[in-house]
Amino acid sequence: MIKDTIVDGFGNAPHRSLYHALGLTKEETERPLIGIVSSYNEIVPGHMNLDKIADAVKTGVAMAGGTPIVFPAIAVCDGIAMGHTGMRYSLVTRELIADSTEAMVLAHGFDGLVMVPNCDKNVPGLLMAAARVNIPTIFVSGGPMLAGRVNGKKTSLSSMFEAVGAYSSGKLDDAGLCEFEEHACPTCGSCSGMYTANSMNCLTEALGMGLRGNGTVPAVYSARIELAKHAGMQIMELVKNNIRPRDIMTEAAFRNALTADMALGCSTNSMLHLPAIANECGIKIDLDMANEISERTPNLCHLAPAGPVYMEDLNEAGGVYAVLRELAEAGLLDTTVLTCTGKTLWENIKGAEVYDSSVIRPVSDPYSKTGGIAVLRGNLAPDGCVVKRSAVAPEMLVHKGPARVFDSEEDAIAAIYAGKIVKGDVVVIRYEGPAGGPGMREMLSPTSAIAGMGLDKDVALITDGRFSGATRGASIGHISPEAVRGGLIAFVKEGDIISINIPEYKIELLVPEPELEERMMSTPIKFKKDIRGVLARYSVQVSSADKGAVINRFKYEE
């Protein structure tokens, strides 16, 4: 406890004097000190309500006999950062969030933590930090945005990006674009489909690190405030019983989370984040494990962008617990694992029900018998690549076509908007990986342009970068090894035939081996020379996407 190292004894009088400088009473310093890590800011729509969530957590902590102290974590809005150099910083912030939270927690000796994140990198970054510092911790997110309404239909941010593609191809006029712009994102919260933020908030429930509703209760509901108070109260129980993140985030818990991922149809970015979080727990998750779990896990949900269903609908249908109950009844989960409630997973979910089988299908009638994500391998990606299979049209599950090669996202977007991409093409976007980007930018703009132009059932996109959770279509990311590290994607030429077979988990560049060897000998790798600061450091230290794009640890000789 903090009392033992910072509060008690004559030697800690200077520490106590600084607590008095904070306005803390003697009584407050004698209680467990609970850090509330809030990602609140005024630029990210998913975070603009986190001050209210943090205040509710503080109330809950105080009600249960603790002393709450708030400190911040940074956040990047992926939507605002999309399509320009700002996106290079998005994935980088996951490591910055983990590092800075670790520093704050261990420098100040907190007894427990309540993490208050919401968007794409904050949730995994804070889960990584929780695993590192390994003191009692619970999560409560800011909640998802309500779906927008355009022309009487529910919509979301992915529809907004696709509207840009429709506008550029003449399928939407100025008034139509403005209608989307003003009504696609109607409230605060993480964007309303099963994109990365909501995927990770749902998987936090599946991992056992968040209370029921963490992933699905809308940001604007009063129930979200109540949930935050309960999280504040529950952290005191975790402190009392010394239940720590690595007691909860076991290998079995990660397998449960991967299973839930497949059933929910989560973002492909979960294949970056779950391995990175597991790495902090000393657990290895590889891409082969994802396919193994996908093979036996039915896809039960088709939330946007895969279908016209949104987070508010999942919440009303029973939420993550109802999905977990379906999976548990089919014997697909380890229900004996410990969770942040202090109970087992089965004790948490045994009373959950599915209230709308059109939103959460039964295991006996799934959207598909296999999970929402697939990992492909072949000469083009010997270490693997990732596709959101549940968001791919049936006619694109197997595709063969000529490569249209671009060395940056900007070049690809320009060609798409200029009408240079035609049916059958395979768009290749390279030098956008973790090291080569650097920062592994999301490619929502090109994929949405393709979809908005009506080509998502005819054109595939592959990249050593990554795709937004809002992406649909045959969009294959995380090609490993990446171009800048000598992956075969660096040597693809315009017009080469690429074969994609998602059901068989294969991706191949159909070029004779002798010619490929000659290309590798004669084609120079393109390195970015104008990067500096955190991006320069990141590009040198980051691992490949198949390993979660984690920062490689230095090993010093003794």
Side-chain angles (χ1 to χ4, degrees):
M1 294 285 287
I2 186 176
K3 290 173 79 282
D4 302 325
T5 56
I6 295 180
V7 176
D8 288 349
F10 74 91
N12 287 325
H15 303 78
R16 295 194 295 272
S17 72
L18 292 170
Y19 283 143
H20 285 300
L22 291 169
L24 295 179
T25 65
K26 182 175 183 291
E27 292 81 3
E28 286 175 301
T29 62
E30 290 177 345
R31 298 172 182 170
L33 192 67
I34 306 300
I36 301 171
V37 189
S38 172
S39 297
Y40 168 74
N41 61 56
E42 295 182 342
I43 188 61
V44 183
H47 292 216
M48 62 181 285
N49 66 323
L50 295 191
D51 56 340
K52 307 297 188 298
I53 302 298
D55 284 345
V57 172
K58 289 177 68 176
T59 298
V61 170
M63 287 168 63
T67 298
I69 301 288
V70 178
F71 65 89
I74 62 169
V76 163
C77 176
D78 280 23
I80 294 174
M82 196 71 65
H84 59 91
T85 194
M87 181 48 72
R88 299 190 195 285
Y89 290 88
S90 175
L91 186 57
V92 175
T93 65
R94 187 187 71 181
E95 316 308 314
L96 297 175
I97 290 162
D99 291 348
S100 58
T101 302
E102 172 196 355
M104 286 293 290
V105 172
L106 297 183
H108 298 105
F110 290 99
D111 294 308
L113 298 170
V114 182
M115 305 296 200
V116 186
N118 209 26
C119 289
D120 296 29
K121 308 310 166 304
N122 303 88
V123 183
L126 290 177
L127 282 165
M128 290 165 67
R132 275 189 212 172
V133 301
N134 202 35
I135 64 172
T137 303
I138 194 169
F139 278 66
V140 56
S141 77
M145 184 185 291
L146 293 179
R149 298 291 195 281
V150 176
N151 299 324
K153 296 181 179 179
K154 286 185 178 182
T155 190
S156 62
L157 183 66
S158 58
S159 303
M160 180 69 253
F161 273 89
E162 290 179 17
V164 174
Y167 179 85
S168 70
S169 63
K171 295 182 178 180
L172 192 68
D173 60 15
D174 288 340
L177 185 64
C178 185
E179 182 74 9
F180 273 96
E181 183 179 330
E182 293 180 354
H183 298 106
C185 299
T187 73
C188 63
S190 47
C191 296
S192 56
M194 188 55 83
Y195 312 145
T196 306
N198 292 327
S199 294
M200 294 310 302
N201 281 324
C202 288
L203 295 181
T204 298
E205 283 190 60
L207 270 173
M209 290 295 291
L211 298 177
R212 181 176 189 171
N214 178 71
T216 61
V217 174
V220 295
Y221 282 15
S222 296
R224 177 62 57 176
I225 300 296
E226 295 179 32
L227 180 66
K229 290 177 182 175
H230 284 133
M233 289 185 273
Q234 183 59 24
I235 188 59
M236 298 305 297
E237 290 298 311
L238 296 175
V239 170
K240 176 183 175 182
N241 294 302
N242 195 28
I243 297 174
R244 300 172 179 237
R246 293 204 292 267
D247 298 327
I248 296 170
M249 291 193 288
T250 61
E251 183 173 349
F254 279 103
R255 293 185 72 89
N256 286 346
L258 277 168
T259 303
D261 187 325
M262 299 301 170
L264 287 164
C266 291
S267 165
T268 52
N269 283 313
S270 63
M271 292 297 100
L272 285 175
H273 301 322
L274 286 176
I277 299 160
N279 180 64
E280 297 290 349
C281 296
I283 296 167
K284 182 181 179 182
I285 290 182
D286 59 33
L287 296 184
D288 290 328
M289 185 186 295
N291 275 351
E292 171 226 321
I293 290 174
S294 180
E295 277 296 314
R296 62 180 177 82
T297 306
N299 177 227
L300 306 182
C301 301
H302 262 195
L303 278 79
V309 178
Y310 297 84
M311 295 304 297
E312 62 201 68
D313 303 313
L314 179 60
N315 187 62
E316 297 302 321
V320 175
Y321 272 26
V323 176
L324 295 178
R325 172 71 187 263
E326 280 289 311
L327 296 171
E329 294 282 9
L332 296 170
L333 298 177
D334 183 339
T335 58
T336 66
V337 294
L338 181 66
T339 71
C340 67
T341 65
K343 301 175 182 177
T344 66
L345 179 62
W346 177 248
E347 289 175 296
N348 290 343
I349 67 175
K350 63 183 179 182
E353 296 183 40
V354 174
Y355 299 113
D356 188 341
S357 59
S358 70
V359 176
I360 304 171
R361 286 194 176 184
V363 169
S364 60
D365 183 30
Y367 281 100
S368 66
K369 294 181 179 180
T370 52
I373 289 175
V375 174
L376 315 184
R377 293 183 188 271
N379 67 344
L380 196 52
D383 294 336
C385 57
V386 182
V387 62
K388 188 170 183 175
R389 171 168 44 189
S390 59
V392 179
E395 53 265 51
M396 286 298 292
L397 290 171
V398 177
H399 181 77
K400 185 184 295 184
R404 305 300 308 281
V405 183
F406 305 94
D407 288 343
S408 72
E409 178 187 11
E410 289 84 355
D411 290 347
I413 292 172
I416 292 166
Y417 285 148
K420 295 180 179 179
I421 304 303
V422 300
K423 290 184 178 182
D425 284 347
V426 178
V427 176
V428 178
I429 307 175
R430 61 192 180 191
Y431 293 105
E432 292 286 6
M440 203 179 184
R441 289 193 288 180
E442 285 187 346
M443 306 289 173
L444 181 55
S445 294
T447 58
S448 297
I450 290 288
M453 291 175 172
L455 293 171
D456 56 298
K457 296 180 180 179
D458 300 288
V459 171
L461 295 92
I462 70 170
T463 181
D464 53 5
R466 59 198 177 95
F467 292 111
S468 166
T471 292
R472 63 186 174 97
S475 302
I476 300 167
H478 309 198
I479 296 278
S480 300
E482 62 175 292
V484 81
R485 289 185 172 160
L488 190 58
I489 191 172
F491 308 106
V492 178
K493 288 186 176 181
E494 189 82 5
D496 285 350
I497 301 300
I498 293 175
S499 173
I500 298 164
N501 191 320
I502 295 173
E504 293 186 6
Y505 306 112
K506 293 180 180 178
I507 184 167
E508 295 284 341
L509 177 62
L510 302 181
V511 174
E513 190 64 31
E515 182 175 345
L516 290 178
E517 291 177 0
E518 191 279 327
R519 289 185 193 180
M520 291 179 195
M521 294 290 292
S522 61
T523 306
I525 299 295
K526 298 179 181 179
F527 296 95
K528 290 186 173 67
K529 301 183 185 302
D530 58 346
I531 58 170
R532 60 191 67 194
V534 66
L535 290 182
R537 184 168 69 246
Y538 184 85
S539 68
V540 172
Q541 297 178 1
V542 70
S543 75
S544 61
D546 64 291
K547 295 179 173 60
V550 298
I551 295 299
N552 290 311
R553 296 176 180 174
F554 293 111
K555 294 182 179 180
Y556 297 99
E557 294 183 3
E558 294 184 2

